Amino acid sequence: MPSWLADLCEAFDRPQNSSPTKIEPKEWQPAQDSSGFLYAVEPLVTLGRERLHQGIEALIAERAGSLSELPFDPNTVETVLFDSLPVRLLLILSRTMALELNVARLQGLLGGETPAERFASFLQRLKDRNVQIALLREYPVLARQLATCIQCWVAASLEFLQRLCADWEEIRALLTAGRDPGVLVRFSDSAGDRHWGGRTVSIAEFSTGFQVVYKPKSLEAGVHFQELLTWVNQQERIPPFPTLKIIARGEYGWVEFVTASSCSSKEEIQKFYQRLGGYLALLYALEAADFHYENLIAAGENPILIDLESLFHPRLKSDSLNRFSLENTLANSVLRAGLLPQRLWASQEFRGVDLSGTGAAPSQLIPGKQPYWEGVATDEMRVGFKPVELRSAQNRPSLNGVPANALDFTEEIVSGFTAIYLLLLEQREELLSAGGSLEKFAASAVRVLVRPTRTYALLLRESCHPDVLRNALDCDRLFDRLWVDVQDRPETAKVLPAERLDLWRGDIPMFVTRANSRDLWASDSRQIADFAAESGMERALCTLPAQHTAPSWLKLRRNQAFRRRKAKVRSFHLKKPGFWYDLTDT
């Protein structure tokens, strides 16, 4: 019997009201929003909380005597960890519950004179054990998704607490300067996508206000990148880069929390963009990808890269087949890293969106219409679709509350890039020598972006539609849409089984490799041999040519022709912002 089905049997075999309800998070308002839909799965939630409680008790007993004090309060830690679960369950549950709400209204099964009263009547029906079982029988795929989500939440929560206790003394010594951070009071697990069984980058906050970032993935590449920054700082070519404190623990680690802040002068903004240009040179040389606006924080005059999982991104075989395409040409330029402004998904109907680390700004419309709720807390509640603006970002420096425009600081970006890229060329032999800064990355785990995360997210969203929750075959057919790419990208056929496995767990599929490897590893440790055409390290060696020659645009900027060209391109920016052709290595 699958574990999710065993959990369903155990949860619903119990007599109703055998244990008090345990599904109320802090912001519990079932009569005013959709949170009351959770009554339909109360037995499953209660079972999950009981298992979490048992796991915490076992952890406390195991750690008795090994820690002077626990980093959490046993009386409150369950509530702290539980607060994030209802949101995850409602994302899976709400569309089906809204359909059943409208069906019950049309069948005359709801009492009350007003839409709000009939909504409350529906929530009351959901507390009935027979209604709960009937719903899950009609939607067995929904039952599987909910049980799997709770299982993953329990396992990931206990794993976090175990790791927190194991590393508590070092966290205090390195990240708090020995000060007492207090006990855990908040755990936000919405700082990234979910991988590896519901695990995600999370922010742990303690009673004194101290915060630390927990990352359930290898941070070895991040550690080596901080070492590289330290080496660059010693050369004194541009204002020094800030470095992050990282505790790497193999499959997971801890990173100091960075807070966005504004600049106090124009000179600080100039230093910000000069450093950003230096980062661009490093990321270009290290074959980096995916440094969008969520991976950059403007901390005063310091740009901080907060996610370094996509360094040394390998070149896939389909990319090599299309080496002369415009898309591949841009991918071989400094645009590849994702830092520079570039407009995506533009069409006649949609002006596109800039998600880059430098150019992304709020108030942009996200591509396509996004779902939202109409008639919340009434018996006519339904899903609508409308354009949605990009959420606020922390990637742009500001002065007196006004975000800076990167186009006004082109010279700083160019000078920062020039200084650091020429430094890398000059010191190529040292960097690539045995024990050099680049060689340290060779065996580091890095992420491979086989498909856009947006594709996976859309499939996960549609897998919660009632139409595919009655029969698992319908959900399989939905996930089979991934086959569309195989004709143009044959190598993706090798990863389809792993992608389906992750999607069935509610995860964004995750693949990793090593900087010096062409093989791929899936979330279940399955190895896919010879997946890439070139490893990230091989590509990085091509980016740093053996002869000390600079890219052509670096030569051009020394003559008058380049200045005329730059003026022309700058005027082009004013008409169509989002492209930065004068920084590509053409």
Side-chain angles (χ1 to χ4, degrees):
M1 181 183 293
S3 60
W4 63 267
L5 186 55
D7 282 0
L8 282 168
C9 292
E10 180 179 348
F12 285 91
D13 276 347
R14 297 177 175 184
Q16 192 164 9
N17 301 321
S18 61
S19 60
T21 181
K22 293 184 178 181
I23 64 173
E24 293 88 347
K26 289 181 179 178
E27 303 298 330
W28 178 250
Q29 297 177 323
Q32 301 176 28
D33 55 33
S34 60
S35 58
F37 291 155
L38 293 175
Y39 287 132
V41 291
E42 182 176 355
L44 265 177
V45 175
T46 300
L47 176 64
R49 291 205 65 168
E50 289 177 357
R51 289 182 175 172
L52 179 67
H53 177 78
Q54 294 166 3
I56 292 174
E57 286 190 332
L59 175 62
I60 294 173
E62 177 187 343
R63 290 288 172 180
S66 61
L67 282 175
S68 57
E69 56 184 26
L70 290 170
F72 58 84
D73 183 347
N75 297 317
T76 61
V77 67
E78 291 178 39
T79 302
V80 170
L81 295 173
F82 175 68
D83 281 340
S84 63
L85 179 62
V87 175
R88 295 165 60 177
L89 294 177
L90 287 171
L91 287 174
I92 300 171
L93 185 66
S94 292
R95 295 173 80 173
T96 301
M97 291 299 98
L99 173 62
E100 291 300 314
L101 169 64
N102 282 272
V103 169
R105 172 177 57 84
L106 294 174
Q107 292 178 340
L109 300 178
L110 305 180
E113 299 297 326
T114 67
E117 289 176 351
R118 289 190 290 271
F119 179 79
S121 174
F122 178 75
L123 297 186
Q124 193 63 32
R125 279 176 52 83
L126 293 181
K127 296 180 181 181
D128 186 280
R129 179 62 57 86
N130 293 326
V131 172
Q132 295 169 351
I133 293 175
L135 279 170
L136 298 183
R137 279 178 172 165
E138 181 173 355
Y139 301 100
V141 180
L142 175 65
R144 173 179 175 174
Q145 290 177 343
L146 293 166
T148 301
C149 178
I150 294 174
Q151 284 180 340
C152 291
W153 167 73
V154 173
S157 298
L158 291 175
E159 183 180 73
F160 162 74
L161 288 182
Q162 291 166 352
R163 292 171 171 178
L164 179 64
C165 289
D167 301 328
W168 187 233
E169 297 299 337
E170 187 166 356
I171 291 173
R172 293 184 59 175
L174 181 64
L175 303 182
T176 72
R179 296 189 298 270
D180 180 17
V183 296
L184 185 70
V185 295
R186 188 173 292 106
F187 183 69
S188 173
D189 65 352
S190 58
D193 298 319
R194 302 195 183 281
H195 310 289
W196 293 307
R199 295 169 177 83
T200 182
V201 174
S202 307
I203 300 173
E205 182 177 347
F206 296 81
S207 53
T208 60
F210 167 71
Q211 297 181 77
V212 63
V213 181
Y214 165 67
K215 296 192 175 187
K217 57 186 176 183
S218 172
L219 299 183
E220 185 179 357
V223 171
H224 294 321
F225 190 78
Q226 307 309 311
E227 295 170 350
L228 177 60
L229 291 180
T230 301
W231 176 83
V232 172
N233 289 341
Q234 292 171 353
Q235 314 305 313
E236 299 182 349
R237 298 297 178 93
I238 65 173
F241 294 103
T243 56
L244 289 175
K245 297 176 182 177
I246 299 176
I247 300 174
R249 285 289 181 267
E251 296 181 350
Y252 72 98
W254 310 89
V255 183
E256 69 170 303
F257 181 79
V258 178
T259 304
S261 57
S262 61
C263 295
S264 58
S265 65
K266 182 179 178 180
E267 288 71 23
E268 289 190 353
I269 297 181
Q270 290 174 329
K271 290 181 180 179
F272 178 95
Y273 282 111
Q274 196 173 7
R275 291 185 176 103
L276 193 68
Y279 272 135
L280 182 62
L282 292 173
L283 297 180
Y284 174 58
L286 300 185
E287 285 291 309
D290 202 37
F291 281 86
H292 50 77
Y293 74 102
E294 292 179 312
N295 288 338
L296 178 69
I297 293 180
E301 66 177 46
N302 293 311
I304 308 291
L305 301 177
I306 60 172
D307 196 344
L308 298 160
E309 65 179 0
S310 296
L311 299 176
F312 296 97
H313 197 275
R315 192 59 48 93
L316 304 187
K317 295 181 178 179
S318 56
D319 298 331
S320 299
L321 294 175
N322 300 318
R323 67 179 64 184
F324 299 115
S325 67
L326 174 61
E327 181 179 357
N328 194 59
T329 300
L330 294 177
N332 285 327
S333 73
V334 290
L335 292 175
R336 178 186 60 245
L339 269 185
L340 292 181
Q342 46 193 301
R343 196 166 299 283
L344 305 176
W345 305 304
S347 65
Q348 291 182 346
E349 297 78 22
F350 179 64
R351 70 186 300 268
V353 61
D354 182 0
L355 302 178
S356 66
T358 301
S363 77
Q364 297 183 96
L365 292 180
I366 297 176
K369 295 184 177 180
Q370 305 300 314
Y372 74 102
W373 287 108
E374 296 179 348
V376 177
T378 72
D379 64 340
E380 297 181 354
M381 185 174 175
R382 68 183 185 91
V383 177
F385 292 86
K386 66 178 180 180
V388 176
E389 292 184 351
L390 192 70
R391 62 184 180 184
S392 60
Q394 304 178 78
N395 59 308
R396 299 171 65 187
S398 61
L399 179 61
N400 299 325
V402 179
N405 185 346
L407 290 176
D408 297 331
F409 299 92
T410 305
E411 288 293 341
E412 285 74 16
I413 296 177
V414 170
S415 66
F417 183 97
T418 303
I420 300 304
Y421 191 71
L422 290 178
L423 169 66
L424 298 178
L425 292 177
E426 293 166 5
Q427 304 296 329
R428 182 180 189 275
E429 292 184 6
E430 178 183 345
L431 290 171
L432 299 179
S433 63
S437 296
L438 291 191
E439 195 225 17
K440 294 178 181 179
F441 286 96
S444 299
V446 292
R447 184 180 179 184
V448 180
L449 302 169
V450 177
R451 303 182 201 263
T453 298
R454 183 168 174 260
T455 298
Y456 296 132
L458 180 60
L459 286 173
L460 283 177
R461 190 184 81 186
E462 293 308 307
S463 71
C464 299
H465 194 287
D467 288 350
V468 299
L469 296 179
R470 294 184 176 89
N471 190 324
L473 182 58
D474 293 325
C475 203
D476 275 334
R477 286 171 173 163
L478 173 67
F479 295 153
D480 277 344
R481 294 181 182 228
L482 292 171
W483 280 95
V484 170
D485 280 348
V486 172
Q487 182 175 355
D488 296 326
R489 306 175 66 211
E491 72 270 16
T492 57
K494 298 179 180 180
V495 301
L496 274 165
E499 289 175 319
R500 290 162 61 94
L501 176 65
D502 285 344
L503 290 170
W504 267 109
R505 290 192 304 189
D507 288 342
I508 297 292
M510 180 78 163
F511 300 96
V512 297
T513 186
R514 298 188 183 95
N516 64 348
S517 175
R518 298 185 183 186
D519 296 345
L520 198 68
W521 283 266
S523 61
D524 60 351
S525 300
R526 181 184 321 179
Q527 183 175 357
I528 304 171
D530 197 31
F531 183 80
E534 296 176 279
S535 71
M537 188 64 73
E538 289 174 311
R539 289 297 308 169
L541 296 180
C542 295
T543 307
L544 294 174
Q547 294 181 348
H548 294 172
T549 57
S552 57
W553 69 269
L554 287 179
K555 296 178 181 178
L556 284 172
R557 70 184 299 270
R558 300 189 184 101
N559 60 39
Q560 189 175 3
F562 176 80
R563 289 194 290 272
R564 289 198 301 268
R565 174 175 170 266
K566 181 181 175 184
K568 182 178 179 181
V569 173
R570 191 175 179 85
S571 67
F572 175 76
H573 292 326
L574 299 178
K575 298 176 182 178
K576 293 187 177 182
F579 293 86
W580 213 311
Y581 293 119
D582 58 330
L583 289 179
T584 58
D585 181 13
T586 58

